Amino acid sequence: MEERVFKINSKEIDTTKKYILYCMESSQRIDYNYALYFAVKLADKIKKPLITVFNITDNYKHSNIRYYKFMIEGILKLREDFKKLGIKFVINKNSYTEGCKKFLKNASVVITDTNYLKTQRMWREYIGKISDVAVFEIESDVIVPVRLVSNKQEPYAMTIRPKIYGMMDRFITSIQITPPKIKSENFDIQSWDLDSVDDYINQLNIDKSVKPSENFIGGYDEAQKLLKIFIEEKLHRYKDLRSDPTVDYQSNLSPYIHFGQISPVKIVKDILKEYHIYDENVKSFFNELIVWRELARNFCFYNPLYNQYNGIPQWAKQTLEEHIKDKREYIYSISELEEGKTHDQYWNAAQRELLKTGKMHNYMRMYWAKKLIEWTKHPKEAFDIACYLNDKYELDGRDPNGYAGISWCFGTHDRPWQERKVFGKVRYMNDKGLERKFDIKKYVERFGRC
Ligand SMILES: Cc1cc2nc3c(=O)[nH]c(=O)nc-3n(C[C@H](O)[C@H](O)[C@H](O)COP(=O)(O)OP(=O)(O)OC[C@H]3O[C@@H](n4cnc5c(N)ncnc54)[C@H](O)[C@@H]3O)c2cc1C
């Protein structure tokens, strides 16, 4: 546990104040929430009540019903679970910094969870700066804490894999969150408590044009159901079928993992109850859930340009720019792309899967982003459009995985390949590959029509 704890400022705990403050953001759950676990233990140790604050702002990138509905569904269930623990759960209609700031005056110590993106890191640093007391950040949403794995940006999955696997065992231990000794649920603090998700949505000034997903309901209970289905019905074929967009052999857990509604440690532990760690399918799944996911966190933590074209490797930038003058057969506007109106029926189907469900299949995400390089005048434009569409429509968007995934399509974490038109030495994908590998017409039948 201690290895997950990082002290943001150099201030001390002040036991004369009223409570311990946990500012929840990235770990929106109780189970395997290491930040909450740390907060409860500390509350018991210094004999203070614990209050948890969750801020909901309508002023964040791509605030839209799709992801607010999903997030608030999870939060309302969490509010009930906190009641059972006897911990005051305060919902605040405010930004993270302003919302947390309101509670600093009476806090003996502040606990936060961890986020690897620039804006969210700045929020925490700001709280650390303006707080008069100690602020601790707990790495709650990874198997191995990012700073421990490596002190630099790792170039490839193969360089980070042995580092993570070498330390993993000691981070997949069980934790049990018990009710704190001092109850706080009746603490006299105003919370923005409304009855339903719709009530919240109606009071938020958010984009109502991106419709909620037809496929996903938010909350830890829903994540658990999907995990159970995955372990019982899909995992035994994962290695062979995870890449096939015409079947459903992925876990579909990414929206839940993104909002911290389920912990990767919990996923790993549940799988290891049923499967051996050396099973080929488990190895393949852990390679995605642990190695690629934590490589994405390493990338965002150490590369400040993670969400920009300029953040791709030098060799990739050079080769792409040597081919800028190559003739592009098709150039599409952002609205043609957004509506899935290109000449390519596979790409359109992928875009429509995204619009409708809020989650594009992994293999199609690679094809989808690669094609943008072909259909725009400059790879920077392609990169920006990929980020825009990914962040606006993917339920799991605005996540290190998204920026690392897009950047991978532009050469990050990859090697140079045989040189060709437009792409230079950056890996290329084409429709023939989809036709050769999968019964891709089935995918078009599912999502291809308007
Ligand atoms: C262009 C592009 C954009 C992407 N955008 C996102 C995004 O916005 N959010 C996001 O979570 N993932 C993104 N990915 C990675 C990957 O496509 C998704 O994580 C995966 O499809 C989610 O579905 P799942 O949970 O059913 O996956 P599963 O195959 O069941 O994998 C389980 C978990 O492992 C992790 N994982 C799987 N594949 C990857 C990967 N390639 N890189 C990092 N972690 C991975 C995810 O947390 C995922 O939930 C992107 C990939 C590409 C190529």
Side-chain angles (χ1 to χ4, degrees):
M1 180 67 214
E2 299 78 49
E3 291 180 293
R4 293 188 181 275
V5 181
F6 176 76
K7 196 161 176 231
I8 293 185
N9 60 14
S10 54
K11 296 163 192 170
E12 299 303 321
I13 297 174
D14 180 350
T15 51
T16 63
K17 301 281 181 74
K18 277 193 186 158
Y19 48 67
I20 290 192
L21 175 66
Y22 167 33
C23 302
M24 178 185 279
E25 193 261 329
S26 61
S27 304
Q28 297 171 24
R29 62 176 185 277
I30 288 176
D31 207 20
Y32 283 95
N33 180 336
Y34 292 89
L36 178 62
Y37 180 74
F38 181 80
V40 170
K41 291 280 166 221
L42 197 54
D44 286 348
K45 191 171 160 200
I46 67 168
K47 300 188 179 62
K48 292 278 164 193
L50 166 66
I51 66 162
T52 296
V53 171
F54 185 80
N55 299 294
I56 301 181
T57 173
D58 40 22
N59 189 19
Y60 184 63
K61 190 159 79 170
H62 296 304
S63 299
N64 62 46
I65 309 188
R66 175 166 293 180
Y67 77 77
Y68 271 67
K69 179 172 179 289
F70 185 88
M71 179 179 79
I72 295 169
E73 280 164 352
I75 289 298
L76 293 195
K77 295 174 196 169
L78 200 53
R79 184 171 70 181
E80 295 310 306
D81 294 339
F82 265 84
K83 231 181 243 165
K84 289 180 202 145
L85 278 178
I87 302 175
K88 179 84 183 177
F89 188 73
V90 185
I91 302 177
N92 233 334
K93 187 171 189 267
N94 223 326
S95 67
Y96 182 88
T97 46
E98 289 307 306
C100 296
K101 209 167 154 181
K102 277 191 356 198
F103 297 92
L104 289 182
K105 203 170 82 194
N106 292 318
S108 291
V109 51
V110 182
I111 319 289
T112 76
D113 37 35
T114 304
N115 197 312
Y116 303 91
L117 303 182
K118 276 178 282 193
T119 307
Q120 285 81 349
R121 283 174 66 188
M122 267 161 42
W123 295 346
R124 286 160 175 79
E125 278 163 24
Y126 176 73
I127 295 296
K129 213 175 273 170
I130 63 165
S131 166
D132 292 331
V133 295
V135 180
F136 292 98
E137 180 188 81
I138 318 298
E139 285 206 58
S140 188
D141 299 305
V142 286
I143 306 292
V144 185
V146 162
R147 297 177 190 86
L148 276 187
V149 173
S150 174
N151 58 7
K152 61 174 198 310
Q153 185 187 330
E154 290 292 332
Y156 304 110
M158 71 179 179
T159 63
I160 204 170
R161 188 178 292 111
K163 296 183 180 176
I164 294 177
Y165 284 168
M167 298 185 223
M168 183 169 125
D169 282 358
R170 66 179 195 264
F171 291 99
I172 46 174
T173 51
S174 297
I175 53 164
Q176 197 67 43
I177 296 187
T178 48
K181 287 183 191 137
I182 304 175
K183 302 272 174 267
S184 64
E185 81 262 42
N186 296 323
F187 227 86
D188 187 22
I189 294 178
Q190 186 126 33
S191 174
W192 187 39
D193 284 332
L194 305 176
D195 292 333
S196 69
V197 175
D198 285 346
D199 290 346
Y200 282 94
I201 298 288
N202 290 336
Q203 292 199 21
L204 287 162
N205 182 22
I206 53 176
D207 174 7
K208 310 261 157 83
S209 70
V210 182
K211 298 289 171 242
S213 161
E214 293 169 14
N215 295 47
F216 294 96
I217 303 169
Y220 176 62
D221 55 335
E222 295 291 329
Q224 263 186 312
K225 276 188 221 161
L226 284 183
L227 177 59
K228 191 164 181 288
I229 294 172
F230 179 65
I231 295 173
E232 287 174 1
E233 298 170 19
K234 300 183 187 178
L235 183 54
H236 69 291
R237 304 288 315 273
Y238 184 80
K239 180 169 169 276
D240 293 335
L241 294 179
R242 59 172 277 269
S243 292
D244 186 343
T246 69
V247 292
D248 177 20
Y249 275 86
Q250 290 188 272
S251 70
N252 292 323
L253 284 168
S254 58
Y256 301 90
I257 302 174
H258 166 71
F259 284 96
Q261 294 180 355
I262 191 164
S263 147
V265 180
K266 150 93 181 156
I267 299 172
V268 167
K269 286 202 73 78
D270 278 16
I271 287 175
L272 294 181
K273 278 184 206 152
E274 306 294 330
Y275 276 84
H276 197 277
I277 196 159
Y278 294 120
D279 179 285
E280 286 302 313
N281 290 296
V282 172
K283 279 206 284 196
S284 168
F285 184 70
F286 285 1
N287 193 43
E288 303 303 326
L289 176 75
I290 304 173
V291 177
W292 281 96
R293 183 171 179 277
E294 298 195 4
L295 178 63
R297 271 127 196 92
N298 167 281
F299 176 61
C300 292
F301 192 73
Y302 289 114
N303 184 340
L305 303 179
Y306 61 78
N307 57 350
Q308 293 170 41
Y309 167 71
N310 281 334
I312 70 174
Q314 190 48 40
W315 69 263
K317 212 165 157 246
Q318 187 181 331
T319 189
L320 284 167
E321 289 178 11
E322 279 165 8
H323 288 269
I324 278 181
K325 293 225 164 71
D326 292 358
K327 185 172 175 334
R328 271 84 169 142
E329 289 193 20
Y330 302 91
I331 295 284
Y332 291 110
S333 68
I334 192 151
S335 61
E336 286 168 318
L337 293 165
E338 197 155 4
E339 289 165 29
K341 290 192 173 151
T342 74
H343 69 285
D344 180 335
Q345 57 176 334
Y346 306 138
W347 196 94
N348 296 345
Q351 177 63 18
R352 290 204 193 107
E353 178 182 26
L354 175 58
L355 296 180
K356 202 166 165 208
T357 69
K359 180 175 178 288
M360 192 190 293
H361 189 279
N362 173 57
Y363 198 88
M364 298 310 291
R365 293 194 203 207
M366 298 189 264
Y367 181 78
W368 175 87
K370 291 275 184 193
K371 287 287 141 188
L372 296 175
I373 300 177
E374 253 178 272
W375 299 341
T376 46
K377 288 193 184 124
H378 194 287
K380 180 187 180 311
E381 195 187 338
F383 194 102
D384 291 344
I385 292 175
C387 287
Y388 168 75
L389 294 176
N390 197 81
D391 283 352
K392 181 168 175 186
Y393 292 106
E394 295 281 11
L395 259 179
D396 58 25
R398 308 160 314 278
D399 187 280
N401 283 357
Y403 304 118
I406 289 165
S407 204
W408 177 86
C409 294
F410 289 72
T412 295
H413 302 143
D414 204 2
R415 62 173 172 87
W417 292 72
Q418 197 184 354
E419 191 151 10
R420 57 161 53 245
K421 235 175 71 177
V422 180
F423 284 78
K425 291 179 185 156
V426 167
R427 187 198 295 248
Y428 168 74
M429 284 172 82
N430 69 3
D431 51 357
K432 301 280 174 295
L434 292 176
E435 288 161 0
R436 203 174 52 245
K437 288 181 179 152
F438 316 116
D439 188 1
I440 195 70
K441 295 273 182 272
K442 271 195 195 160
Y443 180 73
V444 178
E445 276 162 28
R446 245 170 87 210
F447 297 110
R449 292 187 193 90
C450 292

